[in-house]
Amino acid sequence: MAGAGRAILIDCCPASCEAAQQSAVALGFSDRVEVRQERVDSTWAVPSDASIVLTNPPFGHQTFRADRVILDALTKAPDSVQSCHVLHARNARHVYGMFRDAGCWQAARILNDVPLTLPKRLVHHRSNSMQTYVHCWRMVRKPED
């Protein structure tokens, strides 16, 4: 868990939550991991006691702009959040801009064109697995003047 005292994992999919809970148990982290099944909507906010956020928001291929709710909440995260790590489709140009425009974040793409193989889980997938390419972003708070 990269030194974190505890982690909150949030997903709207029951199967994903079950897999996350099973993984936490198998890895010996069940006492430090809370799995929440909830849908992130415009009323959602980053937990106030978070210090780091890691996210793989929906890329918006199935539902246009599906990632905006999560990214918007991250740009407004409480001051306790010192960094956000975002995995997103490589063609997403808005991630950097949203954090930059929030005024309190410095953004850097730390990994470019990373291949990611996804299992066939959704009806629109045409094969048993698909490969896509992602960028990994690291946003950190700007130092106060």
Side-chain angles (χ1 to χ4, degrees), residues 84 96 99-100 103-108 138-143:
C84 295
Y96 171 79
F99 279 85
R100 179 200 61 224
C104 58
W105 295 99
Q106 293 175 331
R138 180 172 186 259
M139 294 12 157
V140 295
R141 293 279 180 186
K142 283 184 176 178

Side-chain angles (χ1 to χ4, degrees), residues 71-72 74-77 79 94-107 139-145:
L71 295 174
D72 189 51
L74 293 178
T75 65
K76 298 172 184 170
D79 290 343
H94 61 285
V95 176
Y96 171 79
M98 288 182 73
F99 279 85
R100 179 200 61 224
D101 293 349
C104 58
W105 295 99
Q106 293 175 331
M139 294 12 157
V140 295
R141 293 279 180 186
K142 283 184 176 178
E144 295 186 24
D145 295 332

Side-chain angles (χ1 to χ4, degrees), residues 80-95:
S80 63
V81 176
Q82 293 301 303
S83 65
C84 295
H85 302 262
V86 180
L87 178 110
H88 211 305
R90 74 173 167 189
N91 62 346
R93 304 287 181 247
H94 61 285
V95 176

Side-chain angles (χ1 to χ4, degrees), residues 19-85:
Q21 189 64 53
Q22 289 174 358
S23 294
V25 169
L27 294 169
F29 294 132
S30 60
D31 60 331
R32 298 177 16 207
V33 172
E34 176 186 349
V35 178
R36 297 181 188 171
Q37 182 188 339
E38 58 187 62
R39 184 164 293 283
V40 174
D41 62 20
S42 61
T43 64
W44 184 81
V46 174
S48 62
D49 57 344
S51 57
I52 299 172
V53 176
L54 293 95
T55 184
N56 175 8
F59 291 176
H61 297 304
Q62 294 80 37
T63 304
F64 183 64
R65 299 174 66 98
D67 62 339
R68 296 310 201 276
V69 171
I70 295 169
L71 295 174
D72 189 51
L74 293 178
T75 65
K76 298 172 184 170
D79 290 343
S80 63
V81 176
Q82 293 301 303
S83 65
C84 295
H85 302 262

